[in-house]
Amino acid sequence: RFIAKPCALGLKVQANGPQKAQPNAILEKVFTAITKHPDEKRLEGLSKQLDWDVRSIQRWFRQRRNQEKPSTLRKFCESMWRFTFYLYIFTYGVRLLKKTPWLWNTRQCWNGYPYQPLMPDLHYYYIVELSFYWSLMFSQFIDIKRKDFGIMFTHHIVTVTLITFSYVTNLTRVGTLTLCLHDAADVVLEAAKMANYCKCQKLSDLLFLTFAIVFIVSRLGIYPLWILNTTLFELYEALGNFPALWVFNVLLMVLQILHCFWSYLIIKAAYKAISKGKAAKDNRSDVESSSDEDETVPRSKTPQSTIATNGTGGANGTNGYLTGGTCSEEH
């Protein structure tokens, strides 16, 4: 509110949201109590009841649904907050890990386990990361809604469980490697989103392609060859079999499955970016659009009625509201 919003306005990020649908008690009751997507039969009934044509009623429902979508300003502020956190915690993690022996030799993660001292810096790193992911798990119910809500909720649950479990069982050394590795791609992703909301198309595309490379290399390359290798094989060689080992590895494998799914989406978006010259549009929370939205005042079915338009058609696109989602946010 006090930092991100002034920055967004200074960068001329669009502050207004979608145009509001004109008040109508009957349609509002249907929208809130029955359905947000009326079928053809219900549209015909409403058309006769209100003496509107079907297209006008469809347009009203489309505009009403768009009212609940976030503005570009709100999305920019959310991305700026996350970018700030990821940049800070990634920098902190790199500074912490470069002084540790297990960064260069993962077998050191198990040297002396479980009697490994918990350093204050490592404790702080863990608590801040755990606090952030707890906040994400709760705030996603009030933050911008995405179509991949279920997948992200699963990811947050797995992440919180992993951090908590590794902290309780003192598997914190390999935990710090996992946390730092995951934060690397998130920094670039949030930067790409902010560039997109500022309508810096070339910078947004460049950052998105950079994100795609970093994500795939870190999650499909370094993660299995570095993290999973040490937890599945080196840990077993050093300490043998014990219950926590299998619980820990199952959670890490679930995380890898999510990595594969997101990598598929990112590769699709990157392919579109290369083939069409721009990154794929994120349609998970954008405003619905239609070519017939050049009118906002409903037309009566009686031919004697004369209807005025508000001039929001043509190049202005959807209700005079330009949507700018060019950077994929599939992650």
Side-chain angles (χ1 to χ4, degrees):
R1 181 177 302 174
F2 301 109
I3 299 175
K5 187 174 181 179
C7 290
L9 296 176
L11 292 169
K12 298 181 180 179
V13 175
Q14 186 175 5
N16 61 308
Q19 181 175 333
K20 294 184 178 181
Q22 69 179 77
N24 187 290
I26 296 175
L27 295 181
E28 185 67 27
K29 184 177 180 180
V30 173
F31 183 88
T32 55
I34 302 176
T35 178
K36 297 181 180 181
H37 298 271
D39 55 22
E40 185 176 349
K41 184 178 180 180
R42 191 176 299 277
L43 287 172
E44 289 289 344
L46 291 171
S47 175
K48 295 177 181 178
Q49 184 177 359
L50 296 172
D51 200 27
W52 289 13
D53 61 33
V54 172
R55 285 184 62 191
S56 297
I57 297 174
Q58 289 175 326
R59 187 178 304 113
W60 188 95
F61 274 93
R62 185 161 47 247
Q63 291 176 351
R64 183 63 182 85
R65 290 193 298 267
N66 286 339
Q67 283 180 216
E68 300 184 350
K69 303 296 175 67
S71 66
T72 305
L73 176 64
R74 184 184 171 192
K75 291 193 284 187
F76 178 92
C77 292
E78 180 184 291
S79 291
M80 185 172 180
W81 144 240
R82 295 191 182 188
F83 170 80
T84 304
F85 173 82
Y86 285 129
L87 181 62
Y88 164 74
I89 204 66
F90 176 70
T91 304
Y92 183 90
V94 170
R95 292 181 61 187
L96 169 66
L97 288 172
K98 71 179 183 181
K99 299 181 293 184
T100 62
W102 59 84
L103 174 64
W104 317 107
N105 181 10
T106 53
R107 291 184 183 273
Q108 290 292 326
C109 291
W110 323 118
N111 187 23
Y113 181 85
Y115 305 105
Q116 297 171 342
L118 183 64
M119 299 181 297
D121 290 348
L122 193 152
H123 172 76
Y124 171 80
Y125 186 40
Y126 248 74
I127 293 302
V128 172
E129 288 273 20
L130 181 60
S131 302
F132 177 71
Y133 282 104
W134 267 115
S135 73
L136 286 186
M137 192 160 66
F138 288 110
S139 65
Q140 71 174 2
F141 293 99
I142 58 174
D143 282 344
I144 298 168
K145 294 295 186 297
R146 309 292 191 189
K147 291 180 180 178
D148 60 352
F149 175 88
I151 297 171
M152 287 305 299
F153 187 64
T154 303
H155 171 266
H156 296 331
I157 291 177
V158 172
T159 303
V160 168
T161 305
L162 261 174
I163 296 174
T164 305
F165 184 80
S166 61
Y167 184 86
V168 170
T169 56
N170 207 26
L171 294 166
T172 52
R173 292 187 176 183
V174 71
T176 56
L177 298 178
T178 307
L179 289 170
C180 191
L181 182 66
H182 281 72
D183 290 335
D186 293 331
V187 176
V188 188
L189 173 64
E190 299 302 334
K193 291 184 191 179
M194 290 192 296
N196 172 51
Y197 300 144
C198 294
K199 300 189 184 299
C200 299
Q201 183 64 51
K202 292 183 178 179
L203 178 60
S204 175
D205 293 345
L206 176 62
L207 287 171
F208 172 73
L209 294 177
T210 303
F211 158 73
I213 294 171
V214 173
F215 186 93
I216 293 170
V217 170
S218 62
R219 309 292 177 91
L220 298 187
I222 300 175
Y223 179 79
L225 296 177
W226 193 38
I227 303 297
L228 293 181
N229 176 66
T230 191
T231 58
L232 287 171
F233 304 109
E234 294 177 353
L235 174 56
Y236 184 81
E237 292 175 7
L239 302 171
N241 190 11
F242 59 101
L245 180 150
W246 298 107
V247 175
F248 191 55
N249 279 307
V250 166
L251 292 171
L252 291 173
M253 291 302 296
V254 171
L255 207 57
Q256 180 62 12
I257 293 172
L258 294 175
H259 294 165
C260 294
F261 173 74
W262 281 320
S263 296
Y264 165 73
L265 299 177
I266 290 168
I267 290 171
K268 280 180 60 179
Y271 174 77
K272 291 180 181 179
I274 295 172
S275 61
K276 297 182 180 181
K278 62 180 181 179
K281 182 177 179 180
D282 173 30
N283 60 3
R284 297 177 305 158
S285 59
D286 279 348
V287 175
E288 299 179 50
S289 61
S290 175
S291 60
D292 67 357
E293 292 207 21
D294 56 344
E295 304 172 29
T296 57
V297 181
R299 293 176 296 179
S300 171
K301 296 199 304 183
T302 56
Q304 290 82 6
S305 299
T306 57
I307 302 300
T309 62
N310 67 347
T312 56
N316 287 338
T318 310
N319 311 325
Y321 177 66
L322 291 171
T323 59
T326 57
C327 167
S328 172
E329 301 172 14
E330 294 296 346
H331 171 70

